Amino acid sequence: MPGTPPTRFVYLGPEGTFAEQALRTIPAAERGSRTPARSVGEALDSVRAGDADAALVPLENSIGGAVGVTLDELAEGQPLVITREVILPVDFVLAARPGTALASVRSVAAHPQASTQCRGWLRDHLPDATVIDVLSNGAAAAGAAAGEYDAAICAPIGAARHRLTVLADKIADHPDAVTRFVLVSRPGPPPPPTGDDVTSLAVYIAHDRVGALLSVLMELAVRGVNLTRIESRPTGEALGRYVFFLDCTGHVADVRLGEALQGLRRVCADVRFLGSYPRHRWSPAAAERPVPAPAGLSDVDYADAAAWLARLRAGELS
């Protein structure tokens, strides 16, 4: 039923990855069941089928950018909505079986994205080691634990899960790197507004209309809605056909964002609402308040203008 807290969670597996670490920051998930999925599509389909209440999947990384498969899955198929975001610092460690010395490491298992983000550290500290691509950070830790590799680049949870010794921590070349995960559920009433929310949309523009994308941006700008992210993905229909993914500050319950959504509905070929949810404040810098609306475009201004129009329609001119 809508509003019932989720108890059955699925996440992009395997176990011992950043996705599991992110999921376990959610209190309800720590109390409920957590099942790894083999892919983003499998995780989301389990929610669509009712086999899980919610799925946690990666949406973007501050170094690698958007996770295209997640965007594609959200734009297609039976609708799903984002109810929460989790932003997790990407804290890679080099881990090995107990008793292994750093100087003896000759093979390192790593997901390609992990080894890319740790390239400088590997060059400086293990220049002669061979880096072997594996399917996930969890698989890297499991392989090191089984003796298939001397060491693994993995998440701290993966090292702990497989009883590995951490030979070096914080080995990423960009220490401030983060990954943004989203918790996705079947459609229902969004979480109530907090005053610091994000609304995500998938927008299909009218390709036969000059300035169609500008029209989309103007619907937001003229109402003082701050656009924090825009990402395009091909629709697969034909070359040059794209769907645009937007993140905006505000909540669907806000008057000005509601009016912007109505405007987008009028000017776009299609709009898919992907959810309104609280912004995750994961660091002191992220604790800053959202960009304020320009003068005359706050929710109070919109409410006042709506009340004034209602009075006019009722014949009250005073």
Side-chain angles (χ1 to χ4, degrees), residues 11-314:
Y11 63 93
L12 178 62
E15 296 179 343
T17 60
F18 285 110
E20 182 187 6
Q21 190 171 327
L23 180 62
R24 298 192 71 159
T25 67
I26 300 174
E30 186 68 10
R31 296 189 298 268
S33 64
R34 301 177 299 276
T35 304
R38 292 171 294 184
S39 67
V40 170
E42 181 179 285
L44 297 183
D45 283 344
S46 67
V47 176
R48 291 185 173 108
D51 297 326
D53 300 321
L56 188 98
V57 292
L59 188 67
E60 62 176 321
N61 177 268
S62 60
I63 304 300
V67 180
V69 64
T70 301
L71 295 178
D72 293 342
E73 288 285 343
L74 290 175
E76 301 169 1
Q78 186 178 344
L80 296 169
V81 292
I82 299 169
T83 59
R84 185 170 185 153
E85 68 175 4
V86 177
I87 298 177
L88 188 75
V90 180
D91 183 16
F92 288 112
V93 301
L94 184 78
R97 293 181 305 284
T100 303
L102 180 62
S104 68
V105 173
R106 293 293 178 266
S107 62
V108 178
H111 185 276
Q113 191 175 75
S115 58
T116 297
Q117 294 189 44
C118 302
R119 184 186 294 126
W121 190 94
L122 290 169
R123 182 185 61 243
D124 294 340
H125 296 85
L126 292 174
D128 299 323
T130 300
V131 178
I132 301 164
D133 291 347
V134 294
L135 293 176
S136 69
N137 300 314
E148 299 172 21
Y149 319 104
D150 295 334
I153 295 176
C154 60
I157 191 175
R161 176 69 50 81
H162 294 282
R163 296 182 173 85
L164 298 175
T165 297
V166 174
L167 302 181
D169 62 0
K170 302 186 184 304
I171 65 173
D173 298 335
H174 298 275
D176 297 326
V178 297
T179 295
R180 179 187 177 201
F181 296 87
V182 289
L183 189 67
V184 180
S185 303
R186 291 181 294 279
T194 65
D196 189 7
D197 302 289
V198 179
T199 292
S200 296
L201 308 166
V203 172
Y204 298 80
I205 65 173
H207 293 278
D208 57 351
R209 183 184 304 168
V210 175
L213 180 56
L214 178 60
S215 297
V216 169
L217 301 179
M218 286 300 295
E219 292 293 338
L220 302 173
V222 298
R223 295 175 176 87
V225 176
N226 187 37
L227 182 65
T228 58
R229 185 178 71 93
I230 180 169
E231 189 89 22
S232 64
R233 293 286 298 169
T235 63
E237 298 171 355
L239 188 65
R241 296 296 179 93
Y242 292 89
V243 54
F244 293 86
F245 293 88
L246 312 180
D247 281 348
C248 312
T249 57
H251 192 280
V252 66
D254 298 341
V255 178
R256 61 191 173 114
L257 184 56
E259 286 199 8
L261 292 178
Q262 292 181 67
L264 293 177
R265 174 73 175 178
R266 292 193 301 268
V267 303
C268 295
D270 193 17
V271 179
R272 176 172 281 202
F273 175 72
L274 299 180
S276 289
Y277 47 93
R279 183 167 69 101
H280 183 192
R281 301 183 187 181
W282 56 276
S283 73
E288 298 175 0
R289 298 298 297 175
V291 176
L297 294 175
S298 70
D299 288 332
V300 173
D301 294 325
Y302 267 87
D304 178 70
W308 174 75
L309 179 60
R311 291 195 300 271
L312 294 184
R313 289 171 171 170

